[in-house]
Amino acid sequence: MSIMKKIFAIVAFAAICITASAQELVTYTGSEFIVQHPAEFKGEEDIWGAGTNEWKMDDNHLLTCWYDEDACKVVEFDMYAAVQKIGMEDKGMTCGDPVIKGNICTLRGVKDNQVEYAYVVNFGIKTYSECLTGKFRCLVSDEAKYKPMFDTILSTMKLK
């Protein structure tokens, strides 16, 4: 096989992988935010009629997203994570240290066969503490599949 055919085959394979990966997420546009979620997770209307804030496949696979205009400033991420950790440990979860990358903070907890990530994404547009908060949950055995999706979801969240 010539070098050009090999390069073409590699590029074609990469394009197929990227397209397949992109199709695994769908976009929800609400009144306050835009968020992606796994295609197999179905939205559930908020009980107050404010749109969708929860997407789930079953009780083991869940994404929630809430707009909070006063959640926390980026400099308060450690405090926010500490409060989340207390709540997760009260549910019997074993938690690691928070992961802070720019305007995103996550905290991973595990209990039995489930892994749960609490998160906050700070936008600081109108106030310094304007955020989207929530959690992502899946089976430990599915974490390798869903963690890259979750990272993409966090990095593409937007406020309206």
Side-chain angles (χ1 to χ4, degrees), residues 19-61:
T19 301
S21 183
Q23 290 174 345
E24 294 175 353
L25 293 173
V26 294
T27 302
Y28 168 79
T29 302
S31 61
E32 298 170 322
F33 58 84
I34 299 169
V35 64
Q36 292 185 314
H37 61 86
E40 61 269 26
F41 287 34
K42 301 304 175 205
E44 297 187 6
E45 191 73 19
D46 178 79
I47 59 172
W48 295 287
T52 303
N53 295 92
E54 180 175 289
W55 299 265
K56 64 192 287 186
M57 183 168 65
D58 53 39
D59 289 339
N60 295 310
H61 299 82

Side-chain angles (χ1 to χ4, degrees), residues 37-91:
H37 61 86
E40 61 269 26
F41 287 34
K42 301 304 175 205
E44 297 187 6
E45 191 73 19
D46 178 79
I47 59 172
W48 295 287
T52 303
N53 295 92
E54 180 175 289
W55 299 265
K56 64 192 287 186
M57 183 168 65
D58 53 39
D59 289 339
N60 295 310
H61 299 82
L62 168 78
L63 171 70
T64 65
C65 185
W66 298 92
Y67 170 70
D68 189 338
E69 63 186 342
D70 294 313
C72 69
K73 299 174 185 170
V74 171
V75 297
E76 299 169 338
F77 274 176
D78 286 332
M79 179 187 67
Y80 181 87
V83 171
Q84 292 299 313
K85 186 173 185 174
I86 291 168
M88 292 168 83
E89 288 175 341
D90 283 348
K91 295 179 191 174

Side-chain angles (χ1 to χ4, degrees), residues 60 110-116 137-142:
N60 295 310
V110 177
K111 179 181 179 187
D112 300 326
N113 195 29
Q114 288 184 336
V115 61
E116 184 172 298
R137 181 173 54 223
C138 67
L139 294 173
V140 171
S141 59
D142 291 338

